[in-house]
Amino acid sequence: MALIKCSECASDVSDKAKSCPKCGAPVVLPPPVLTRTDTAKMWLMFLGLGAAAVWFIHHELNEAPAPEPTAAVASTAPYEIQALAACSKALKRAAKNPSGINIPYTTDLATAGGYMFNWDKGDGLTMQNGFGAKIDTQATCVVAEDGTTVIGLVVDGKKLIYNLPKHKK
Ligand SMILES: [Zn+2]
C-alpha cells in the first residue's frame, strides 16, 4: 500500500482507497512509472528474445541443407578420390547405360597398398537396365597402388576385371 496525493485537495490518500476520505474525490491512480529494475527486466526479456531468435535462425540454417556427398569427397585424401574416380570409370564402362549409373561416395577399405571400394546392395549404387529401371547393384573395385589402374572389378558377383596380384594372400 502506498500513499498518493488526492487530485482535488492534495491530502495523502491510500492508493487502495476508492475515494479521498477528506474531500470525497475519486482516487485517480497515477500511470505506473517504470522503475529502474522494471526497465532492466524489460531489457533482459528483449535480449532474451533476441538470443532465442538468433538461436532459432542459426538452428534452422544448420538443419536445412543436408550435407552434400561432394563435401565428404572434398575432405578426403586426393589419392583416394583419384582411385574412386578410376573405379567410377570402370563401372561406367561395365554399365549398359553409362549415363544412367549412380555411384555414391564410399570410403577406401584397403588396409595396406592400393585401394578397395565396395558397395553392397542398398548402398545406393544403381545401374539402369535395358528398360531404364534403376537396379540396385553390388560392386567391389580394387585399384593398384598407382591409384589409377583398376585391377579388380566385381559387379553383382561377376568378375569383370580380375588382375589381382597372384602373391596376394
Ligand atoms: Zn481530497
Side-chain angles (χ1 to χ4, degrees):
M1 185 173 100
L3 290 175
I4 53 167
K5 295 274 180 218
C6 170
S7 59
E8 292 296 315
C9 68
S11 61
D12 289 334
V13 189
S14 160
D15 64 349
K16 295 276 183 278
K18 281 198 169 72
S19 58
C20 172
K22 227 174 197 178
C23 70
V27 168
V28 181
L29 289 172
V33 176
L34 287 178
T35 63
R36 252 167 214 262
T37 44
D38 284 337
T39 320
K41 267 183 210 162
M42 272 179 67
W43 268 108
L44 277 176
M45 213 163 85
F46 182 74
L47 290 174
L49 283 174
V54 167
W55 176 85
F56 183 75
I57 290 161
H58 193 73
H59 188 71
E60 284 295 292
L61 283 176
N62 281 352
E63 287 284 293
E68 293 286 322
T70 48
V73 173
S75 67
T76 317
Y79 291 113
E80 192 183 323
I81 297 166
Q82 198 183 23
L84 187 58
C87 282
S88 296
K89 231 189 246 177
L91 278 166
K92 277 179 189 166
R93 240 178 272 133
K96 281 197 180 90
N97 178 4
S99 59
I101 189 168
N102 178 53
I103 307 164
Y105 172 77
T106 187
T107 49
D108 174 30
L109 299 175
T111 47
Y115 305 84
M116 188 169 105
F117 303 96
N118 182 69
W119 295 267
D120 282 326
K121 284 203 188 253
D123 281 352
L125 175 65
T126 55
M127 286 192 186
Q128 271 185 354
N129 67 6
F131 305 101
K134 285 185 175 181
I135 308 299
D136 195 13
T137 307
Q138 183 280 326
T140 306
C141 179
V142 182
V143 180
E145 275 179 79
D146 67 358
T148 52
T149 313
V150 176
I151 54 174
L153 183 65
V154 179
V155 177
D156 282 333
K158 261 192 250 168
K159 289 175 185 174
L160 302 178
I161 302 172
Y162 213 70
N163 302 321
L164 301 184
K166 293 222 155 67
H167 65 264
K168 207 167 177 180
K169 282 171 208 168

